[in-house]
Amino acid sequence: MESVDVFESLLSSSGLCNWDPVVFDMLIKAFLKVNMVKDGFRAFRKTVKHGMYPSVITVNCLLTGLSKLNYSKKCWEVYAEMERIGVHPNSCTFNILTHVLCKDEDVNKVNEFLEKMEEEGFQPDIVTYNTLVSSYCRKGRMKDAVHLYQIMYIRDVSPDLFTYTSLINGFCKKGNVKDAHQLFIRMADRGLKPDVILYNTLISGYCKEGMMQEARFLLHDMIGEGMHPDKFTCSVLVQGYQKQDNLVSAVNLVTELQRFRFVVSHDIYNYLIAALCIENRPFAAKALIDRVSGDRYEPSNMVYGELIESFCRCNFPDEASCLKAEMVSKDLKPDIGTYRAIIKCLCKLGRSMDANSLMREMTDCDVPPDIEVCRALINGHCGENNFCEAQSLLSFFAQEFKIFDTVCYNTIVRLLSGEGDIAKLMKFQDKMRKVGFAPNQLTCKYVIDGLQKAVGVHKINS
DNA sequence: CTAGGGTTAG
């Protein structure tokens, strides 16, 4: 839609000045540069329709864009079009299309295509070989991959880091870290220096096999070589430790990397903090936050929530409240789950009055309480023999928030019945009816129990 | 300087 406008306006304004058809070439490239592949494709078609020829480089950019979106069919359309209008493909074109064929798992077609490429006078180069090797590796066809790797030496196209990364990754994926490492050593013998991606690949292989010591050794090796472990390195190692339920080592690793001032993604911090919270180790989680918060890391709303809930599960409501206050001071809005956790925890620990004020705070912040909050408070007050507060909360929740918790209602009825004060019971019943509570079977049973108790009748049936 | 090839895993 937009490309039509841009193309047409470019076309219409070209009459007003000296212009060069290269502007349309640039337009296509510009679309692709900002990842507007479809617009680039449309602009390409229109350019051709108006009898102009985009450059090979531009067509190659277009093919790359289409290939990345897996629009294979469109790639071949473009290729046919360039033959038709006489834009000669070059080695990049062939490599891009080889990649397309490899992705589509068309092995026979790949060979056919390579023959055609040679007919047109292009020898497969390092990129062509790497594309093929990586394709074999991805499909787990290591024998074919290694065979091609040997052919590269024969044809005097020396394998490079890309080749080795594909092969090492291929072996690792098969669980064959030994061969992967051997290749790594051979590569070094041939004078190639592994880069971060290559280290990551092998480290990931070891992590997948649970060989964390080897993985860690490689990490130190790469640091010793002056390389900077990246997010990828960190995430692979953390996941490796996690797979062995070794959260402590994962946390230690991350703090070590952070001390070295290497990039640790905030996702990793979030992940580890969440994991510690789930394992009910809120103090460790809090310590991790404190240690890394200098690292431009700020816990999100969700992380705070998880931490607070973890403290609550472990019966540390004051630590939880403190964090909640910290959230508020940072203009983060605690959600219902956070409030609910602290309220439940306080009630469980016999501090229902403290929970009350928290409930007031949440309603002041326009976070309406839910039935769980209602139930926790009422049960809490009942447990602390504060029936009065329980009763007033029951009607408060009903009136203000339309929460009618029959379970709580019946609990109070049962307790009042147990006290044997019929007048009080009836007064309560009456009040509750007015705010909208309807008694059910269980309510009636409790009321009858209360009456019997009051008049001293012993139960006949138990 | 210039387009094309290599790393996790959900």
Side-chain angles (χ1 to χ4, degrees), chain A residues 14 22 64 101 124-125 144 210 266 278 320 329-330 376:
Chain A
S14 57
V22 82
T64 306
L101 285 174
D125 61 9
D144 291 315
H266 291 183
I278 289 166
S329 77
K330 286 184 185 173

Side-chain angles (χ1 to χ4, degrees), chain A residues 139-142 169-176 209:
Chain A
K139 290 168 194 156
R141 293 171 57 175
M142 293 315 292
N169 191 40
F171 280 124
C172 287
K173 271 214 303 227
K174 294 227 147 181
N176 186 352
E209 295 303 306

